[in-house]
Amino acid sequence: MTEPLFVIPLWADLTAVALGGVQGALFASGFRGQRRLDMLGVAIIGIVMGMGGGLIRDLLLGVAPSTLQSNWYLLTATAAALVGMLLAGLFARLNNVIVGLDALVIGLFGAFGTSKALVLGLPVVPAIFVGVCAAVGGGILRDIIMGLPVAIMHVSSLYGVAALAGCAVLAALDAFGVDLVLAAIIGVVVTTTIRILAVVFDVSLPEQRMLYRRKVAVETAAIPIVRPSAEPEA
Amino acid sequence: MTEPLFVIPLWADLTAVALGGVQGALFASGFRGQRRLDMLGVAIIGIVMGMGGGLIRDLLLGVAPSTLQSNWYLLTATAAALVGMLLAGLFARLNNVIVGLDALVIGLFGAFGTSKALVLGLPVVPAIFVGVCAAVGGGILRDIIMGLPVAIMHVSSLYGVAALAGCAVLAALDAFGVDLVLAAIIGVVVTTTIRILAVVFDVSLPEQRMLYRRKVAVETAAIPIVRPSAEPEA
Amino acid sequence: MTEPLFVIPLWADLTAVALGGVQGALFASGFRGQRRLDMLGVAIIGIVMGMGGGLIRDLLLGVAPSTLQSNWYLLTATAAALVGMLLAGLFARLNNVIVGLDALVIGLFGAFGTSKALVLGLPVVPAIFVGVCAAVGGGILRDIIMGLPVAIMHVSSLYGVAALAGCAVLAALDAFGVDLVLAAIIGVVVTTTIRILAVVFDVSLPEQRMLYRRKVAVETAAIPIVRPSAEPEA
């Protein structure tokens, strides 16, 4: 359970935690109606988004969670969640900021997950898998805890593919002897770029079958991710 | 994975498991309609509430789950779930008992979680975090498995804050050199008292923003935590 | 984290992973309307069903997940998920295949879970528990991620009892000195047979109380497991 050789410096790890915490709190602050959260709930989502990726990574790797070996991770995630709440109060529409932060966070967690797995000696396929789980795991936990449809499972904008591509590029570069830090930076850039471009150009994966196409488009649009609070009950 | 120095005696640990099992089965027996459970389902919820806190604690600590190193934990949780089913059949309205047991259970799991984390050498902030996760984790698992809104996330009665306060008091007393057993007992009392007072006086955390206040009050009341079975469909 | 004595050969483990992957993808491909998944979503469910049981088993045992120590598990699960998608496109009604595969998969994961727990020295009751969790855990994860009611919790066809019986028979045979491989084979047969017979004869557990019987029957039938896509919104 000692990891003397692990390459991610604390400041980089804490940056990912902080960005995840801000993003989570911004996301959670946006809910109204039945899904509205109190301050503790917003803080929990911030902490889940800041710490979840690292926890899932270390559970999969079978090592004691490194985010719990120091006071700094939780203090950073909590402070970031508070900052996220304040920012949510200052700005009316933060959708672009949330999407951009989200893209960067999945890039960072994916790269750190795959790097750590490679350093611990995992084969390349599981190392990519651990990175993808670390990247998208926080968001899955968030959606489950908030009772939302799990975003990555529904016809969406290449969310998981972006993480997969970045982690695969990282692992491939590492296999060809590229320095791991450089490989990780390239991996972050790949994931973040794909994710942002997917949102900008509204790209989706093909559905597994092309039947009922028109009907699905209507129904997908009808998924009530956030119920408008002005909606009449009856 | 040996923990020779750990201070929680088996009888105390099993008491928490038993109370959690009874509480879980009482809670699960109360459901009607679509969420109604068969006997196995009620037993599963009892086991989840009796064992979940300890499992989450040990996963976060990176040690093999101590509740699976002996036959007694599962036998106790299962027997307690059966007792809970019988009690639910004997009494018509058990709400006070469920709330009281719940307060005691989160106090015990929180104190055991933080104590074990401190004994294993974790810093104080993660040690408190592990205690809070152990205290509320069983309930989160229960709500997710039953398809309910996760209770701790919604405008509620200081559920998580009670656990946080008890675990923080425990860690602070330990830092000032107080005997860990005494500190744990005080932590249990703090958590249980806050949780019961919060229910009695119906205290809530402030919401993160005060807009739409009247509308939210109406909508929150409309969350169908338990659907009355006599409700007409149309 | 080395397990030199563990008896499950790689081909058997990979067979379970492959069958789980095919079954998961068949199951996930069947959804329409709001729950419809894109190709990545179907692949994720296939991987969850192929790998979930083994991951849960190893988390409970406190060992590094063996499914991540080799490239073969993920490659097998992914290929199996693709095969499942193709099969779902070829056949119109696969319900019998899905039920049969499911029965075999829970038998295999249950037997492997209990075997590994016994080999690692766990007492008999937790060893059975680990097997049951490994058997049903993949399905619970699948239901949670897809936003479905957790199948094992609702008045259903002896799903968990089948796993429990097979794992208990395995552990009992092992306790009486029967060779573990033979015991595991018998355990798989017991679980698979009970599960298939339960579906064929539509057996259920008794509900925990017999009141409201007629109403429950109506309401249970009304759970919209799969919403018909032709349903009008208004």
Side-chain angles (χ1 to χ4, degrees):
Chain A
M1 297 192 184
T2 56
E3 315 153 17
L5 297 173
F6 190 39
V7 293
I8 300 172
L10 183 64
W11 65 263
D13 224 4
L14 290 180
T15 302
V17 167
L19 293 177
V22 171
Q23 201 273 344
L26 284 176
F27 181 89
S29 297
F31 284 86
R32 293 283 167 276
Q34 284 191 15
R35 298 201 192 283
R36 184 185 185 74
L37 304 177
D38 61 16
M39 283 182 64
L40 180 66
V42 174
I44 291 174
I45 295 298
I47 293 172
V48 164
M49 290 298 285
M51 313 261 306
L55 284 176
I56 289 170
R57 176 197 63 200
D58 290 344
L59 284 178
L60 291 175
L61 292 174
V63 300
S66 60
T67 51
L68 300 180
Q69 308 306 311
S70 143
N71 287 329
W72 287 108
Y73 290 91
L74 276 158
L75 294 177
T76 302
T78 308
L82 295 175
V83 169
M85 278 189 240
L86 283 175
L87 290 179
L90 291 175
F91 301 105
R93 293 289 293 168
L94 284 157
N95 214 17
N96 288 343
V97 178
I98 293 179
V99 167
L101 270 181
D102 190 43
L104 185 54
V105 168
I106 63 172
L108 289 169
F109 280 127
F112 292 177
T114 297
S115 304
K116 186 166 181 176
L118 290 171
V119 169
L120 288 174
L122 261 68
V124 63
V125 176
I128 295 171
F129 177 76
V130 169
V132 173
C133 290
V136 305
I140 292 176
L141 280 184
R142 175 200 67 198
D143 292 339
I144 291 172
I145 292 178
M146 293 188 68
L148 299 171
V150 174
I152 196 177
M153 294 305 300
H154 293 274
V155 180
S156 68
S157 301
L158 292 174
Y159 194 86
V161 170
L164 183 60
C167 294
V169 166
L170 193 169
L173 291 173
D174 178 70
F176 285 114
V178 176
D179 177 66
L180 190 53
V181 173
L182 179 60
I185 292 171
I186 295 174
V188 172
V189 171
V190 168
T191 295
T192 307
T193 307
I194 293 179
R195 172 68 185 145
I196 289 178
L197 290 179
V199 173
V200 169
F201 294 106
D202 198 14
V203 185
S204 296
L205 276 186
E207 290 149 28
Q208 87 266 21
R209 272 179 287 180
M210 290 298 138
L211 306 171
Y212 309 103
R213 202 183 302 171
R214 214 201 296 166
K215 184 177 296 295
V216 169
V218 173
E219 287 175 353
T220 304
I223 297 178
I225 300 290
V226 184
R227 290 191 198 186
S229 56
E231 197 176 275
E233 288 293 319
Chain B
M1 297 192 184
T2 55
E3 316 153 17
L5 297 172
F6 191 39
V7 292
I8 302 172
L10 183 62
W11 64 264
D13 223 4
L14 290 180
T15 302
V17 168
L19 294 176
V22 171
Q23 201 273 343
L26 284 176
F27 180 89
S29 297
F31 284 86
R32 293 283 168 275
Q34 283 191 15
R35 298 201 192 283
R36 185 186 184 73
L37 304 177
D38 62 14
M39 282 181 65
L40 180 66
V42 174
I44 291 174
I45 295 298
I47 292 171
V48 164
M49 290 298 285
M51 313 261 305
L55 284 175
I56 289 171
R57 176 197 64 199
D58 290 343
L59 285 178
L60 291 175
L61 292 175
V63 300
S66 61
T67 50
L68 300 179
Q69 307 308 311
S70 144
N71 285 329
W72 287 109
Y73 289 90
L74 276 157
L75 295 177
T76 302
T78 307
L82 295 175
V83 169
M85 279 190 238
L86 283 177
L87 290 179
L90 292 177
F91 301 104
R93 292 290 292 168
L94 284 157
N95 215 19
N96 288 343
V97 178
I98 292 179
V99 167
L101 270 180
D102 189 42
L104 185 54
V105 167
I106 63 172
L108 289 169
F109 279 126
F112 292 176
T114 296
S115 304
K116 185 165 181 177
L118 290 171
V119 169
L120 288 174
L122 261 67
V124 63
V125 176
I128 295 170
F129 177 75
V130 169
V132 173
C133 289
V136 304
I140 292 176
L141 281 183
R142 175 199 68 199
D143 292 340
I144 291 173
I145 291 178
M146 293 188 68
L148 299 171
V150 175
I152 196 177
M153 295 305 301
H154 294 274
V155 180
S156 67
S157 301
L158 292 176
Y159 194 86
V161 170
L164 182 60
C167 294
V169 166
L170 193 169
L173 291 173
D174 178 71
F176 284 114
V178 175
D179 177 64
L180 191 52
V181 173
L182 178 61
I185 292 170
I186 295 174
V188 172
V189 171
V190 168
T191 295
T192 306
T193 308
I194 293 179
R195 172 67 187 147
I196 289 179
L197 290 179
V199 172
V200 170
F201 294 108
D202 198 15
V203 185
S204 295
L205 277 185
E207 290 149 30
Q208 87 267 21
R209 273 179 286 178
M210 290 298 138
L211 306 171
Y212 309 103
R213 201 181 306 170
R214 212 198 302 161
K215 182 176 296 298
V216 170
V218 173
E219 287 176 354
T220 303
I223 298 179
I225 299 291
V226 184
R227 290 190 197 187
S229 56
E231 197 178 276
E233 288 292 318
Chain C
M1 297 193 186
T2 55
E3 315 152 16
L5 297 172
F6 190 40
V7 292
I8 300 172
L10 183 63
W11 65 264
D13 223 4
L14 290 180
T15 302
V17 168
L19 294 176
V22 171
Q23 200 273 343
L26 284 177
F27 180 89
S29 297
F31 284 86
R32 292 284 167 276
Q34 284 191 16
R35 298 200 193 282
R36 185 186 185 72
L37 303 177
D38 62 15
M39 282 182 66
L40 180 65
V42 174
I44 291 173
I45 294 298
I47 293 171
V48 164
M49 290 299 286
M51 313 261 307
L55 284 176
I56 289 170
R57 174 197 64 199
D58 291 343
L59 285 179
L60 292 175
L61 292 175
V63 300
S66 60
T67 51
L68 300 180
Q69 307 307 311
S70 144
N71 286 330
W72 287 109
Y73 290 92
L74 276 157
L75 295 177
T76 301
T78 308
L82 294 175
V83 169
M85 279 189 239
L86 284 176
L87 290 179
L90 292 176
F91 301 105
R93 293 290 293 167
L94 284 157
N95 215 20
N96 288 343
V97 178
I98 292 178
V99 167
L101 270 181
D102 189 43
L104 185 55
V105 168
I106 63 173
L108 289 169
F109 280 126
F112 292 175
T114 297
S115 304
K116 185 165 181 177
L118 290 170
V119 169
L120 288 175
L122 262 66
V124 63
V125 176
I128 295 171
F129 177 75
V130 169
V132 173
C133 289
V136 303
I140 292 176
L141 281 183
R142 176 199 66 199
D143 292 340
I144 291 172
I145 291 178
M146 293 188 68
L148 299 171
V150 174
I152 196 177
M153 295 306 299
H154 294 274
V155 180
S156 67
S157 301
L158 292 175
Y159 194 86
V161 170
L164 182 60
C167 294
V169 165
L170 193 170
L173 291 173
D174 178 71
F176 285 113
V178 176
D179 177 65
L180 190 53
V181 173
L182 179 60
I185 292 171
I186 295 174
V188 173
V189 171
V190 168
T191 295
T192 307
T193 306
I194 293 178
R195 173 66 186 146
I196 289 179
L197 289 179
V199 173
V200 169
F201 293 107
D202 198 15
V203 186
S204 296
L205 277 185
E207 290 150 30
Q208 86 267 22
R209 273 179 288 180
M210 289 298 139
L211 307 170
Y212 309 104
R213 202 182 305 171
R214 214 200 296 167
K215 181 177 295 298
V216 169
V218 172
E219 288 177 353
T220 303
I223 297 178
I225 298 290
V226 183
R227 290 190 197 187
S229 56
E231 197 177 275
E233 288 292 318

